[in-house]
């Protein structure tokens, strides 16, 4: 190594004899380079003074001396030509282009200004010669280094260094003795102790007799680890820091020469205490103690090697906080252990310093991973961590194994160069069993039940994050496979533009077994799904689910659950931190075809949050309708018309309320709009309006075959209150109950919370008269009703089995009947009937028979209202207190028909004297008296009635053969339709009619507010 100052002052004495400035500049530039310069040279006796000296130090450094003074000692060759007395100046390092600019400046002042403003390293230097110089020295004295500073990456000046050394330079050798540098107090106020460096060094200067060197010596010198100009070195460092040290090296040698050779992960606040020595004959020895608080690391290095770098023997014992180190490498949180976890590292190196073979042994009792979760979350722990890393030829490879609940997890490390600009870690686990997966679920905060047959395999590779300008991607790549039961999911990392891609097949039963649907209102409970999901870097996931088989969807109820079978189900999903959103939902089930969308928030939903589920029913039928009706609690005991068609929407709100809006239609004429609102499993704020075919209503009510037909208009609603009820108004222009036709039918209907159905203010027109009714149908099956008729023209009633009422009787019937039916079908009824404007055309049919007695038929017009009382119970039908008054005659009757259709009764016909006088045969008072009473006994059955008269065979035959008997027999037979055809139930005591009617009226009056509300709606 050639020393510029030595070359300068070693031959200056021969030059100063001439004292020509151009000659001196040429002499400087010839020895020190074209940028060397001196502004002025003068002599004062034996003293030579040089001003404005500029000496270049490599491509970045420059020494600028304001003034240097030397004493001319002799002009001969025996001793030095001169001895340096003193100099003052500055040592500057900066960028190469700036150094060239101020090194060639003409103005020395400008040089100082530029140097001070643009220096990356700057130190004031001064030299003072010793009073008792070594006779062989031309430089011997004290060198002072003042205010050595450099720029840092944070643009904050480093704490300045100041120091001194004893400098000896002869024509053949040089020495630095008692060297020391002391750092100033920390500028950051962090209480760090100032750095102290002690040094001593010695070496030889380049000899002039180069041609005479021994070639072997030159070859050996070329192999030395340190150039031969440095013969010995002793260096100690206390309280040093890697950061300032690297910054100083960067300021002196440039970033390209330093950064690429220092691991970027090494913290800048790492403390260094070092003892280094070098000998050209014995080699190098070093002991370093490192402490990196930010890594939680401590390390001790001891090593030595020969002068050429061969025979290396070194060992590092370290304890490192792995989490901080991995973060500095840019490892993701998923792969970062707990901050408190440390690993013990032993590094051994052998071979040659220039290309060492390094082995790194790593051990840790356990490492815990929180998978990116907060510090208070229990970690997933692996134990017995052990492995080795090898460094050879600048390449790093290694393998570390750990036990995860008894299963081995392997991590393999590779780095193509020691600067770790490129690195990779491959993590593999062939099988991780259910206990470990339970640990992972616990750490992730997922309250999942992990089945015993669950397992996972891992094959991941981690590397440094890619630059933004390169193809977007993750620092991790590979796959994680999860299998349980019949399900298998693969999570793929490293897909372009995607953080994780999840694909595979899932059995819904396996998912349900984890308990993820435990509190769900609607959840899949059976089926197979194909999953395709991409998770972006912002953790938003998009993808689709497609059902590969029939999917069973369950809906939670108060007791148990309901299930819906879905075919061809598929949906597009978007998942983020806010919740799950889905659209494009399509499926078919129970005869219905659906499309829908919805959202499931992961926190308390906002008031304006979209509903959990919105389904559009594109087409539906009776099977689907029955499934939907099962949502009500309790489910209504009804059937659905077999040809029912439905369209509409179903919406499940965030409060788990269900809204169903349906349009129902049948070929029979039903067109009904139904709005069901179901809250907590019960109907709430629901309505139904439109037209209902009575045939369909009978199917819904499970009424069996009844000769009813017509279209009824319905307007119903569910009313909230202490007892939730349903109010409805029904009306129809015409209802047929063969053979009868009711017109202008209307009624108010209430369905009580108990399930009882009540009707009131029911009315209809029949045969130019009016019918009215109120009653109740109990949920258990009992029915009570009061039916009143007013001025019904019986002669206008339709025929029954071909018999016209008008051929037998005419008039307007009025009356009231109170009836009751028990759940077993037994009937009870009582009432009175009055026939005004009564006439009996049937009497004329007796004209031929009466003519034989010289009688004409009585006038068919009654002289007053005809009355009768009707009673119906388990013992049969009884018509009593029948009273008909005619001109000249009257009829009284009492007839009973048993459930077995047996007839028992009697009719009493009284012929008045006025009527009897019209017959010459029946005028003898002694024979007939004032009137003639004809008793008639009725017996037999409705199929074969028997009529017995006690007055003569002729009258008996007359009474038996005329059409009145036929009519009475038919009426009795039709009354028998009210009875069951099987054996009659046991007779029961008949409650007083007043009691039965009071109970019915009390039931109706309990809903007075409902009747008033329905009446108001009608108007």
């Amino acid at each position: 190594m050639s020393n510029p100052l030595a070359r300068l002052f070693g031959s200056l004495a021969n030059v100063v004899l001439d004292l020509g400035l151009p000659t001196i500049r040429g002499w400087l530039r010839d020895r020190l380079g074209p940028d060397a310069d001196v502004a002025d040279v003068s002599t004062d006796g034996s003293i030579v003074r040089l001003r404005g000296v500029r000496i270049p130090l490599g491509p970045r450094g420059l020494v600028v001396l304001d003034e240097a003074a030397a004493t001319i000692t002799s002009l001969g060759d025996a001793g030095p030509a001169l001895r340096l007395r003193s100099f003052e100046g500055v040592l500057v390092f900066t960028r190469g282009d700036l150094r060239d600019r101020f090194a060639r400046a003409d103005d020395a002042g400008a040089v100082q200004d530029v140097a001070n403003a643009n220096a990356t390293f700057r130190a004031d230097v001064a030299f003072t010669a010793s009073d008792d110089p070594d006779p062989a020295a031309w430089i011997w004295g004290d060198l002072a280094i003042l205010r050595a500073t450099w720029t840092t990456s944070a643009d904050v000046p480093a704490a300045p260094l100041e120091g001194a050394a004893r400098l000896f330079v002869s024509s053949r050798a040089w020495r630095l003795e008692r060297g020391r540098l002391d750092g100033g107090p920390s500028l950051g106020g962090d209480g760090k102790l100032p750095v102290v460096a002690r040094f001593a060094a010695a070496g030889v200067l380049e000899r002039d007799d180069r041609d005479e060197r021994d070639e072997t010596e030159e070859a050996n010198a070329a192999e030395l680890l340190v150039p031969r100009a440095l013969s010995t070195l002793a260096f100690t460092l206390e309280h040093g820091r890697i950061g300032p040290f690297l910054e100083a090296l960067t300021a002196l040698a440039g970033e390209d020469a330093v950064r690429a050779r220092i691991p970027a992960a090494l913290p800048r606040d790492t403390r260094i205490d070092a003892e280094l020595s070098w000998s050209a004959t014995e080699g190098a020895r070093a002991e370093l103690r490192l402490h990196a608080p930010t890594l939680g690391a401590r390390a001790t290095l001891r090593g030595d090697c020969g002068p050429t770098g061969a025979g290396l023997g070194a060992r590092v014992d370290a304890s490192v906080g792995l989490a901080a180190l991995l973060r500095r490498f840019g490892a993701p949180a998923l792969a970062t252990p707990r901050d408190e976890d440390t690993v013990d590292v032993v590094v051994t190196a052998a071979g040659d310093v220039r290309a060492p073979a390094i082995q790194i042994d790593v051990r840790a009792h356990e490492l815990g991973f929180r998978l990116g979760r907060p510090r208070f979350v229990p970690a997933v722990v692996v134990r017995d961590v052990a492995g080795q890393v090898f460094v050879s030829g600048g390449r790093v490879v290694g393998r570390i194994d750990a036990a995860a609940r008894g299963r081995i997890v392997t991590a393999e490390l590779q780095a193509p160069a020691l600067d770790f600009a490129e690195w990779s870690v491959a993590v593999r686990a062939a099988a991780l069993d259910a206990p470990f997966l339970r640990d992972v679920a616990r750490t992730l905060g997922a309250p999942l039940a992990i089945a015993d047959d669950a397992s996972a395999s891992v094959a991941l590779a981690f590397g440094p994050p890619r630059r933004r300008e390169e193809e977007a991607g993750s620092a991790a790549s590979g796959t994680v496979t999860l299998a349980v039961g019949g399900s298998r999911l693969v999570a793929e990392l490293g897909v372009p533009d995607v953080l994780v891609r999840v694909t595979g097949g899932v059995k819904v039963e396996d998912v349900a077994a984890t308990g993820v649907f435990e509190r769900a209102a609607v959840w899949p409970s059976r089926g197979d799904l194909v999953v395709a999901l991409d998770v972006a870097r912002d953790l938003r996931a998009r993808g689709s689910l497609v059902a590969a088989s029939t999917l069973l969807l369950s809906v939670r109820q108060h007791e148990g659950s309901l299930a819906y079978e879905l075919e061809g189900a598929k949906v597009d999903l978007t998942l983020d931190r806010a919740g799950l959103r889905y659209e494009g939902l399509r499926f078919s089930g129970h005869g219905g075809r659906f499309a829908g969308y919805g959202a499931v928030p992961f926190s308390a939903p906002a008031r304006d949050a979209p509903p959990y589920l919105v389904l559009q029913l594109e087409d539906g039928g009776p099977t689907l309708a029955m499934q939907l009706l099962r949502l009500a609690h309790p489910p209504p005991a009804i059937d659905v018309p077999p040809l029912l068609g439905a369209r509409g929407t179903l919406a499940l709100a965030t409060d788990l309320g269900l809204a169903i809006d349906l349009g129902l239609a049948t070929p029979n004429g039903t067109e009904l709009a139904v709005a069901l609102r179901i809250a907590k499993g019960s109907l709430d704020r629901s309505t139904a309006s439109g037209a209902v075919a009575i045939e369909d209503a009978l199917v819904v009510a499970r009424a069996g075959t009844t000769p009813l037909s017509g279209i009824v208009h319905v307007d119903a609603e569910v009313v909230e209150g202490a007892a939730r009820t349903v109010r409805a108004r029904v009306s129809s222009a015409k209802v047929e109950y063969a053979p009868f036709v009711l017109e202008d039918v209307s009624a108010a209907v209430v369905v009580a919370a108990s399930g009882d159905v009540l009707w009131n203010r029911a009315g209809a027109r029949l045969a130019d008269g009016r019918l009215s009714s109120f009653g109740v149908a109990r949920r258990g099956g009992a029915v009570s009703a009061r039916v009143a008729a007013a001025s019904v023209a019986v002669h206008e009633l339709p025929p029954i089995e071909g018999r016209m009422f008008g051929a037998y009787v005419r008039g307007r019937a009025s009356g009231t009947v109170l009836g009751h039916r028990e759940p077993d079908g037994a009937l009870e009824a009582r009432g009175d009937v009055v026939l005004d404007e009564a006439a009996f055309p049937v009497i004329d049919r007796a004209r031929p028979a009466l003519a034989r007695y010289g009688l004409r038929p009585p006038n068919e017009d009654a002289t007053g209202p005809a009355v009768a009382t009707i009673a119906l119970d388990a013992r049969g039908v009884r018509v009593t207190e029948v009273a008909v008054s005619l001109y000249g005659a009257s009829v009284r009757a009492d007839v009973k028909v048993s459930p077995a259709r047996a007839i028992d009764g009697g009719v009493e016909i009284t012929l008045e004297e006025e009527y009897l006088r019209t017959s010459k045969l029946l005028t003898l008072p002694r024979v007939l008296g004032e009137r003639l009473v004809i008793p008639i006994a009725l017996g037999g059955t409705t199929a074969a009635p028997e009529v017995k008269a006690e007055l003569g065979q002729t009258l008996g035959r007359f009474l038996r053969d005329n059409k009145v008997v036929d009519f009475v027999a038919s009426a009795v037979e039709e009354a028998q339709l009210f009875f069951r055809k099987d054996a009659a139930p046991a007779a029961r005591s008949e409650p007083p009619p007043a009691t039965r009617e009071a109970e019915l009226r009390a039931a109706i009056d309990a809903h007075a507010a409902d009747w008033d509300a329905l009446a108001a709606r009608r108007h």
Side-chain angles (χ1 to χ4, degrees), residues 586-677:
R586 298 198 70 85
F587 63 88
S588 299
H590 300 281
R593 187 174 68 251
F594 289 91
Y597 65 92
V600 180
F602 291 157
S603 58
R607 288 188 176 182
D608 56 349
Y612 284 159
L613 174 66
V614 175
L615 282 181
Q616 182 70 39
L617 175 60
E618 298 175 343
D619 186 25
T623 305
L624 176 64
M626 287 301 298
Q627 286 294 103
L628 293 178
L629 287 170
R630 291 177 61 196
L631 288 171
H633 184 76
I638 61 176
D639 289 332
V640 175
L643 298 179
L644 179 70
R647 293 177 181 270
T649 59
L650 178 149
L652 181 63
T654 53
D655 60 357
L656 302 184
L658 193 63
I660 302 175
D661 294 285
L662 294 175
L664 307 178
T666 69
N668 296 327
T670 295
E671 292 184 0
L672 189 65
V674 178
L676 299 177
R677 301 295 181 264

Side-chain angles (χ1 to χ4, degrees), residues 358-644:
I358 301 174
Q359 176 177 322
I360 305 172
D361 292 281
V362 178
R363 290 189 178 277
H365 174 63
E366 67 178 30
L367 296 176
F369 297 84
R370 291 192 174 90
L371 308 178
R373 300 275 289 164
R375 290 178 58 87
F376 59 81
V377 174
V380 178
V381 177
V382 295
R383 293 180 170 83
D384 301 327
V385 181
Q388 293 179 323
V389 178
F390 299 92
V391 181
S392 180
R395 182 175 179 83
V396 182
V397 296
R399 169 172 171 162
I400 300 174
D401 295 328
R405 290 281 191 167
R407 294 290 187 172
I408 299 301
V409 179
T410 299
E412 294 184 353
L413 168 67
Q414 293 190 31
L418 286 176
D419 60 4
F420 288 89
E422 293 291 336
W423 58 271
S424 66
V425 175
V427 179
R428 295 193 304 273
L432 298 172
D433 295 333
F436 182 78
L437 297 181
R438 293 187 183 107
D439 291 345
V440 174
R442 178 197 59 183
T443 298
L444 293 176
L448 302 177
I450 307 297
D452 291 338
D453 63 344
S455 65
S457 62
V458 177
L460 294 176
F462 299 94
R466 301 174 185 174
R467 294 192 300 272
R468 187 177 300 276
E469 62 270 22
E470 294 179 342
E471 179 185 2
S474 172
S477 61
T479 60
V480 176
T481 303
L482 177 64
V484 57
S487 303
R488 186 175 185 272
L489 285 177
V490 177
E492 184 179 1
L493 286 75
V495 179
D497 300 322
V498 174
L499 179 63
V500 180
R501 173 165 289 169
V502 181
T503 57
V506 173
K507 292 190 72 66
V508 170
E509 296 93 321
D510 296 333
V511 179
T514 65
V516 69
F517 304 131
E518 183 176 356
R519 297 184 179 181
V522 181
W523 76 98
S525 56
R526 189 183 68 203
D528 299 303
L529 296 174
V530 177
V531 180
L533 199 64
D534 284 350
V535 182
R537 288 176 181 77
D538 60 359
L539 300 184
R540 176 172 297 188
R542 295 179 183 273
S544 63
L545 296 179
V546 178
S549 61
T550 299
L551 186 65
L552 197 67
L553 191 69
S554 295
V555 180
R556 181 92 50 199
Q557 294 291 298
H558 290 299
E559 299 176 0
S561 61
L562 300 177
Y564 294 79
E565 291 185 351
L566 311 183
E567 302 289 343
K570 61 180 181 179
V571 64
D572 297 325
L573 304 175
T574 299
L575 180 68
D576 56 23
R577 293 183 179 89
L580 171 67
R581 295 184 300 281
Y582 54 94
E583 57 188 3
L585 174 64
R586 298 198 70 85
F587 63 88
S588 299
H590 300 281
R593 187 174 68 251
F594 289 91
Y597 65 92
V600 180
F602 291 157
S603 58
R607 288 188 176 182
D608 56 349
Y612 284 159
L613 174 66
V614 175
L615 282 181
Q616 182 70 39
L617 175 60
E618 298 175 343
D619 186 25
T623 305
L624 176 64
M626 287 301 298
Q627 286 294 103
L628 293 178
L629 287 170
R630 291 177 61 196
L631 288 171
H633 184 76
I638 61 176
D639 289 332
V640 175
L643 298 179
L644 179 70

Side-chain angles (χ1 to χ4, degrees), residues 770-792:
R770 296 291 301 175
L771 298 179
S772 61
S773 175
F774 60 84
V776 57
R778 302 291 183 184
R779 182 180 178 184
V783 179
S784 297
R786 183 179 185 277
V787 180
S791 192
V792 176

Side-chain angles (χ1 to χ4, degrees), residues 704-787:
T705 302
T706 303
L708 271 172
S709 62
I711 302 296
V712 176
H713 294 277
V714 176
D715 183 8
E717 66 174 350
V718 174
V719 182
E720 292 184 87
R724 187 174 291 113
T725 59
V726 178
R727 296 172 180 167
R729 289 209 58 83
V730 297
S731 61
S732 178
K734 182 174 67 174
V735 175
E736 296 185 17
Y737 183 79
F740 302 103
V741 177
L742 301 177
E743 297 178 321
D744 296 334
V745 179
S746 65
V749 179
V750 170
V751 181
S754 62
D756 294 346
V757 179
L758 301 93
W759 68 92
N760 191 18
R761 303 169 184 173
R765 287 195 299 110
L766 174 65
D768 199 32
R770 296 291 301 175
L771 298 179
S772 61
S773 175
F774 60 84
V776 57
R778 302 291 183 184
R779 182 180 178 184
V783 179
S784 297
R786 183 179 185 277
V787 180

